[in-house]
Coordinates of all heavy atoms in Angstrom, one line a residue:
E13 N -35.9 -84.0 -124.6 CA -37.0 -84.9 -124.4 C -38.2 -84.2 -124.9 O -38.5 -83.1 -124.5 CB -37.2 -85.3 -122.9 CG -36.2 -86.3 -122.4 CD -36.5 -86.7 -121.0 OE1 -37.6 -86.3 -120.5 OE2 -35.7 -87.4 -120.4
L24 N -45.7 -78.8 -120.8 CA -44.5 -78.5 -121.5 C -44.5 -79.2 -122.9 O -45.1 -80.2 -123.1 CB -43.3 -79.0 -120.8 CG -43.1 -78.6 -119.3 CD1 -41.8 -79.2 -118.8 CD2 -43.0 -77.1 -119.3
G26 N -41.5 -79.9 -124.2 CA -40.4 -80.7 -124.0 C -39.4 -80.2 -123.0 O -39.7 -79.2 -122.3
K27 N -38.3 -80.8 -122.9 CA -37.2 -80.4 -122.0 C -35.9 -80.5 -122.7 O -35.7 -81.3 -123.6 CB -37.2 -81.4 -120.8 CG -38.4 -81.3 -119.9 CD -38.3 -82.2 -118.7 CE -38.3 -83.6 -119.0 NZ -38.3 -84.5 -117.8
V28 N -35.0 -79.7 -122.2 CA -33.6 -79.6 -122.8 C -32.6 -79.8 -121.6 O -32.8 -79.2 -120.5 CB -33.3 -78.2 -123.4 CG1 -31.9 -78.1 -123.8 CG2 -34.3 -78.0 -124.6
F29 N -31.6 -80.7 -121.8 CA -30.6 -80.9 -120.8 C -29.5 -79.9 -121.0 O -28.8 -80.0 -122.0 CB -30.1 -82.3 -120.8 CG -29.3 -82.7 -119.6 CD1 -30.0 -82.9 -118.3 CD2 -28.0 -82.8 -119.6 CE1 -29.2 -83.2 -117.2 CE2 -27.2 -83.1 -118.5 CZ -27.9 -83.3 -117.3
H33 N -28.7 -79.9 -115.9 CA -30.0 -80.1 -115.4 C -31.0 -79.9 -116.6 O -30.7 -79.4 -117.6 CB -30.4 -79.2 -114.2 CG -30.4 -77.8 -114.5 ND1 -29.2 -77.0 -114.6 CD2 -31.4 -76.9 -114.8 CE1 -29.5 -75.8 -114.9 NE2 -30.8 -75.7 -115.1
W34 N -32.2 -80.5 -116.3 CA -33.3 -80.3 -117.3 C -34.0 -79.0 -117.2 O -34.3 -78.5 -116.1 CB -34.3 -81.5 -117.2 CG -33.8 -82.8 -117.6 CD1 -33.3 -83.8 -116.9 CD2 -33.6 -83.2 -119.0 NE1 -32.8 -84.8 -117.6 CE2 -33.0 -84.5 -119.0 CE3 -33.9 -82.7 -120.2 CZ2 -32.8 -85.2 -120.1 CZ3 -33.7 -83.4 -121.4 CH2 -33.1 -84.7 -121.3
I35 N -34.3 -78.4 -118.4 CA -35.0 -77.1 -118.5 C -36.2 -77.3 -119.3 O -36.2 -77.8 -120.4 CB -34.1 -76.1 -119.1 CG1 -32.8 -75.9 -118.3 CG2 -34.8 -74.7 -119.3 CD1 -31.7 -75.1 -119.0
G36 N -37.4 -76.9 -118.8 CA -38.7 -77.0 -119.5 C -38.8 -76.0 -120.7 O -38.2 -74.9 -120.6
V37 N -39.5 -76.5 -121.7 CA -39.7 -75.6 -122.9 C -41.1 -75.6 -123.3 O -41.8 -76.7 -123.3 CB -38.9 -76.1 -124.1 CG1 -39.1 -75.3 -125.4 CG2 -37.4 -76.2 -123.8
Q38 N -41.7 -74.4 -123.4 CA -43.1 -74.3 -123.9 C -43.1 -73.2 -125.1 O -42.5 -72.2 -124.9 CB -44.0 -73.8 -122.8 CG -45.5 -73.8 -123.3 CD -46.4 -73.6 -122.1 OE1 -46.4 -72.6 -121.5 NE2 -47.2 -74.6 -121.8
F54 N -46.9 -71.3 -116.8 CA -45.7 -72.0 -117.2 C -44.7 -72.1 -116.0 O -44.2 -73.2 -115.8 CB -45.0 -71.4 -118.4 CG -43.7 -72.0 -118.8 CD1 -43.7 -73.3 -119.2 CD2 -42.5 -71.3 -118.8 CE1 -42.4 -73.9 -119.6 CE2 -41.3 -71.8 -119.2 CZ -41.3 -73.2 -119.6
A55 N -44.5 -71.0 -115.3 CA -43.7 -71.0 -114.1 C -44.2 -72.0 -113.1 O -43.4 -72.8 -112.5 CB -43.6 -69.6 -113.5
S56 N -45.5 -72.1 -112.9 CA -46.1 -73.1 -112.0 C -45.9 -74.5 -112.5 O -45.6 -75.4 -111.7 CB -47.6 -72.8 -111.8 OG -47.8 -71.6 -111.2
D57 N -46.0 -74.7 -113.8 CA -45.8 -76.0 -114.4 C -44.4 -76.5 -114.2 O -44.2 -77.7 -113.9 CB -46.2 -76.0 -115.9 CG -47.7 -75.8 -116.2 OD1 -48.5 -76.0 -115.3 OD2 -48.0 -75.5 -117.4
I58 N -43.4 -75.7 -114.5 CA -42.1 -76.2 -114.3 C -41.7 -76.5 -112.8 O -41.1 -77.5 -112.6 CB -41.0 -75.2 -114.9 CG1 -41.0 -73.8 -114.3 CG2 -41.1 -75.1 -116.4 CD1 -39.9 -72.9 -114.8
Q59 N -42.3 -75.7 -111.9 CA -42.1 -76.0 -110.5 C -42.7 -77.3 -110.1 O -42.1 -78.1 -109.4 CB -42.6 -74.8 -109.7 CG -42.4 -75.0 -108.2 CD -42.9 -73.9 -107.4 OE1 -43.5 -73.0 -107.9 NE2 -42.5 -73.9 -106.1
R60 N -44.0 -77.5 -110.6 CA -44.7 -78.7 -110.3 C -44.0 -80.0 -110.8 O -44.0 -81.0 -110.2 CB -46.1 -78.6 -110.9 CG -47.0 -79.9 -110.7 CD -48.4 -79.7 -111.3 NE -48.4 -79.1 -112.6 CZ -48.3 -79.7 -113.8 NH1 -48.0 -81.0 -113.8 NH2 -48.3 -79.0 -114.9
M61 N -43.3 -79.8 -112.0 CA -42.5 -80.9 -112.6 C -41.1 -81.1 -112.0 O -40.4 -81.9 -112.5 CB -42.5 -80.7 -114.1 CG -43.8 -80.8 -114.7 SD -43.7 -80.5 -116.5 CE -45.0 -81.6 -117.0
G62 N -40.8 -80.3 -111.0 CA -39.5 -80.4 -110.3 C -38.4 -79.8 -111.1 O -37.2 -80.1 -110.8
L63 N -38.7 -78.9 -112.0 CA -37.6 -78.2 -112.8 C -37.4 -76.8 -112.2 O -38.3 -76.2 -111.6 CB -38.1 -78.0 -114.3 CG -38.5 -79.3 -115.0 CD1 -39.1 -79.0 -116.3 CD2 -37.2 -80.2 -115.1
S64 N -36.1 -76.4 -112.3 CA -35.8 -75.1 -111.7 C -35.9 -73.9 -112.6 O -35.9 -72.8 -112.2 CB -34.4 -75.1 -111.1 OG -33.5 -75.4 -112.2
E65 N -36.0 -74.2 -113.9 CA -36.2 -73.1 -114.9 C -36.8 -73.6 -116.2 O -37.0 -74.8 -116.4 CB -34.8 -72.4 -115.2 CG -33.8 -73.4 -115.8 CD -32.4 -72.7 -116.0 OE1 -32.4 -71.7 -116.7 OE2 -31.5 -73.2 -115.4
G66 N -37.1 -72.6 -117.1 CA -37.7 -72.9 -118.3 C -37.6 -71.8 -119.4 O -37.3 -70.7 -119.0
Y67 N -37.8 -72.2 -120.6 CA -37.9 -71.3 -121.8 C -39.3 -71.2 -122.2 O -39.9 -72.2 -122.6 CB -37.0 -71.9 -122.9 CG -35.6 -71.9 -122.7 CD1 -34.9 -73.1 -122.4 CD2 -34.8 -70.7 -122.8 CE1 -33.5 -73.1 -122.2 CE2 -33.4 -70.7 -122.6 CZ -32.8 -71.9 -122.3 OH -31.5 -71.9 -122.1
K84 N -37.5 -67.4 -113.0 CA -36.8 -68.5 -113.5 C -37.2 -68.8 -115.0 O -36.8 -69.8 -115.5 CB -36.9 -69.7 -112.7 CG -36.3 -69.6 -111.3 CD -34.8 -69.6 -111.4 CE -34.2 -69.5 -110.0 NZ -32.8 -69.7 -110.0
V85 N -38.0 -68.0 -115.5 CA -38.5 -68.3 -116.9 C -37.7 -67.3 -117.9 O -37.8 -66.1 -117.7 CB -40.0 -68.0 -117.0 CG1 -40.5 -68.1 -118.5 CG2 -40.8 -69.0 -116.2

Side-chain angles (χ1 to χ4, degrees):
E13 282 186 9
L24 304 180
K27 296 185 289 185
V28 174
F29 193 76
H33 63 279
W34 287 100
I35 300 169
V37 178
Q38 186 171 63
F54 176 61
S56 293
D57 290 343
I58 60 175
Q59 183 178 10
R60 178 177 44 83
M61 297 178 141
L63 303 172
S64 59
E65 62 183 299
Y67 291 102
K84 295 288 185 174
V85 174

